[in-house]
Amino acid sequence: MPSSTIKSSAQVLQTFKNPELIKTKAYVNGKWISSSTGEKFDINNPALPADEGKIATVDSMSESDYNQAIEKANIAFEEFKKTSGRSRADLLEKLYDLVMENKEDLAKLLVLENGKPYANAIFEVEYAASFFKWFSEEAPRIYGDIIPASNSKNRILVFKQPVGVCGILTPWNFPLAMITRKLGAAIATGCTSVIKPASETPLSGLALGYLCEQAKIPSGVVNILPCSDASKAGKLITEHPGVNKVSFTGSTSVGKVLMKQAAGTLKKLSFELGGNAPFIVFEDADIDEAVDGAIASKFETSGQTCICANRIFVHEDIYDQFSSKLVAKLKHTKLGNGLVDGVTHGPLIHDNSMKKVREHIEDATSKGAKILVGGSKRPELGEHFHDLTVLGNVNTDMKITQEETFGPVAPLIKFTSEDEVVKLANDTNVGLGGYFYSNDLRRVFRVAEAMNVGMVGANSREISEAEIPFGGVAESGFGREGSKFGLDDYLVTKSLVIGNV
Ligand code: NAP
């Protein structure tokens, strides 16, 4: 798809093999419905100015539309919960095939609404599909248990049953995959869902609604409702007595609001929240591998993933070698519109992200950090473009080490000992991903066990795959997505005691 010229969003939409994927209304109970208030909002390509960038105008669903969807999801649940795991596996398998058949169009949609380069978008579509595949394989294997009773006349059985209607709230950085990771588990377990996709990027979620329709997922099992007011939709979903579980991916601050809102109905919750990932390069590491890992982990989707390296700790003995190799390799990257040939990194999603990146660079440089490469906005490319940046001489008094930047800035911090760096790595209230590079096997175990995070990459940055439990500790949230553990969040455990046998 990438070409040598930049096209407006409208021109790109004309290249779709299947234009049916472009939906602007909500998918509720198997039908495409308009907002009852008539409210709408525009979706813009972050790489282009508004006049060329507008992709579509989408219906913003009202409280009464959400109430209707929750009611339909409850009705659908009564039948869907009775279906066999095998039949739900077939539905998920069909969804997997449909996502893969529409890979190129879905990737274009992701580039348009999120800005990520086309190759990353293709990766996201495959990654998104992998959750349908994975959960299609898990659906027929939701086992209960038989427990030996203390009373020899009793028999004890344990059932796993679907939790009910799930509210799914997803972010803009992986607009398709963050839905499939949750929806795959919901369908596998026999739950029904009411989904609010991020307001910056609802189009890939709505395209998924179309694919659910094509896959003949029973009406009311999957409902997708865009809304321009996240706090209104979030409040309704978390407070509604007809929603049994909420799964949210987003910031820690919003997670805290949602948890308070859900307290009134004591819902089952799973939250994937912010991170502040440490990335440690020990003196015995393979430096080239560590440089490649740091570039992938820090700069993928221009630093806008929750498991991006946020603090790069480098041992003093190899600091100069590591930083000069990192800077040299970054010269081979290219910023720009994700649909243009050779572009490796795209824009940030919105003005607030740009503001945070500038604030972190300015705070760090005012306290003695040195810009080793990059460091500037790139207005000639568009208002949301920022250089991939490396800062040297960073210390832990700087904001950039205390808060998640969620942008393309790599701060390098020198350390001298393992004990010191483990303490520094754990000095944060969040713990999602963490990485280190070392060729000492004993150290691999020691450091992995000591890191206060939910996922560790030792000589690897690939900590997010369908088969790996994904989630954090402390203020990074709770619950796990993907993997065999990802089903638990959508199930309740029920015991049955049969007496006097
Ligand atoms: P954010 O404000 O929390 O937004 C993330 C999502 O939450 C958006 O889709 C947003 O919807 C929605 N949202 C915002 N306020 C809400 C509310 N009151 N009720 C319900 N939903 C609400 O975060 P952001 O600044 O856009 O994204 C970056 C943050 O998200 C980072 O801290 C990052 O670590 C975190 N994140 C975490 C993960 C993970 O897997 N742990 C993944 C991605 C992002 P609208 O778009 O409609 O406003």
Side-chain angles (χ1 to χ4, degrees), residues 1 22 36 53 68 71 87 94 113 130 150 194 246 265 272-273 294-295 317 319 329 363 365 377 385:
M1 169 67 199
I22 303 153
S36 56
Q68 189 199 339
E71 190 190 324
S87 69
K94 182 82 191 136
E113 58 181 1
S130 75
S150 327
V194 174
V246 172
T265 48
E272 310 290 349
L273 308 175
I295 290 176
D317 290 355
Y319 181 92
K329 271 225 157 159
D363 173 76
T365 49
K377 290 185 191 179
F385 284 91

Side-chain angles (χ1 to χ4, degrees), residues 17-243:
K17 281 188 230 149
N18 184 1
E20 287 291 318
L21 286 163
I22 303 153
K23 298 288 185 200
T24 58
K25 298 189 186 310
Y27 184 62
V28 175
N29 201 31
K31 297 190 177 64
W32 294 95
I33 64 163
S34 306
S35 165
S36 56
T37 58
E39 262 182 75
K40 292 177 189 293
F41 61 110
D42 287 343
I43 311 303
N44 295 305
N45 180 340
L48 293 173
D51 52 338
E52 291 167 64
K54 187 173 143 187
I55 312 164
T57 301
V58 167
D59 277 50
S60 182
M61 306 314 281
S62 69
E63 291 181 20
S64 85
D65 301 325
Y66 271 91
N67 283 328
Q68 189 199 339
I70 293 168
E71 190 190 324
K72 298 294 182 194
N74 271 284
I75 294 169
F77 179 62
E78 290 308 310
E79 290 307 312
F80 199 55
K81 70 181 180 187
K82 297 178 197 154
T83 57
S84 68
R86 175 59 61 199
S87 69
R88 297 193 300 272
D90 292 343
L91 294 176
L92 286 163
E93 188 73 28
K94 182 82 191 136
L95 272 177
Y96 170 81
D97 290 342
L98 285 165
V99 171
M100 294 303 279
E101 281 163 26
N102 289 280
K103 182 158 67 173
E104 285 80 15
D105 283 348
L106 289 169
K108 283 185 217 169
L109 211 45
L110 286 171
V111 180
L112 286 180
E113 58 181 1
N114 169 279
K116 62 180 67 182
Y118 186 71
N120 290 125
I122 287 281
F123 170 81
E124 180 178 345
V125 178
E126 291 169 350
Y127 176 58
S130 75
F131 289 104
F132 287 147
K133 180 67 124 185
W134 175 265
F135 285 116
S136 76
E137 291 153 351
E138 290 293 302
R141 297 187 174 82
I142 300 172
Y143 296 106
D145 220 334
I146 297 175
I147 297 180
S150 327
N151 178 339
S152 62
K153 287 191 164 250
N154 289 353
R155 300 293 178 270
I156 304 172
L157 282 77
V158 176
F159 298 93
K160 297 279 185 166
Q161 295 187 317
V163 64
V165 174
C166 302
I168 292 181
L169 304 165
T170 54
W172 44 264
N173 59 349
F174 288 86
L176 197 60
M178 290 305 100
I179 297 181
T180 62
R181 189 155 81 177
K182 300 172 195 295
L183 182 62
I187 293 176
T189 50
C191 294
T192 58
S193 302
V194 174
I195 302 168
K196 189 204 86 70
S199 56
E200 291 91 346
T201 58
L203 296 171
S204 13
L206 292 173
L208 200 56
Y210 165 74
L211 298 180
C212 287
E213 196 180 11
Q214 299 306 299
K216 302 204 168 25
I217 306 285
S219 298
V221 168
V222 180
N223 304 279
I224 307 177
L225 293 86
C227 179
S228 60
D229 185 341
S231 52
K232 188 176 76 183
K235 189 167 183 334
L236 191 144
I237 287 174
T238 42
E239 291 183 348
H240 200 297
V243 175

Side-chain angles (χ1 to χ4, degrees), residues 484-498:
K484 66 174 181 176
F485 303 102
L487 293 174
D488 294 340
D489 280 290
Y490 293 80
L491 292 167
V492 287
T493 301
K494 182 190 275 180
S495 54
L496 165 67
V497 180
I498 304 165

Side-chain angles (χ1 to χ4, degrees), residues 299-370:
F299 294 110
E300 186 178 292
T301 59
S302 295
Q304 302 174 102
T305 84
C306 52
I307 53 170
C308 271
N310 200 56
R311 298 166 291 157
I312 303 184
F313 298 101
V314 188
H315 192 271
E316 58 187 357
D317 290 355
I318 51 155
Y319 181 92
D320 290 341
Q321 207 186 343
F322 177 86
S323 59
S324 54
K325 285 190 174 197
L326 180 64
V327 167
K329 271 225 157 159
L330 282 178
K331 299 213 166 113
H332 301 294
T333 55
K334 183 177 169 190
L335 269 186
N337 184 312
L339 291 173
V340 171
D341 276 338
V343 163
T344 55
H345 293 82
L348 299 186
I349 190 83
H350 45 44
D351 297 347
N352 281 347
S353 316
M354 286 295 277
K355 235 166 80 187
K356 192 155 197 195
V357 165
R358 292 309 309 159
E359 193 187 308
H360 280 185
I361 293 177
E362 280 153 24
D363 173 76
T365 49
S366 75
K367 292 174 180 163
K370 296 269 170 293

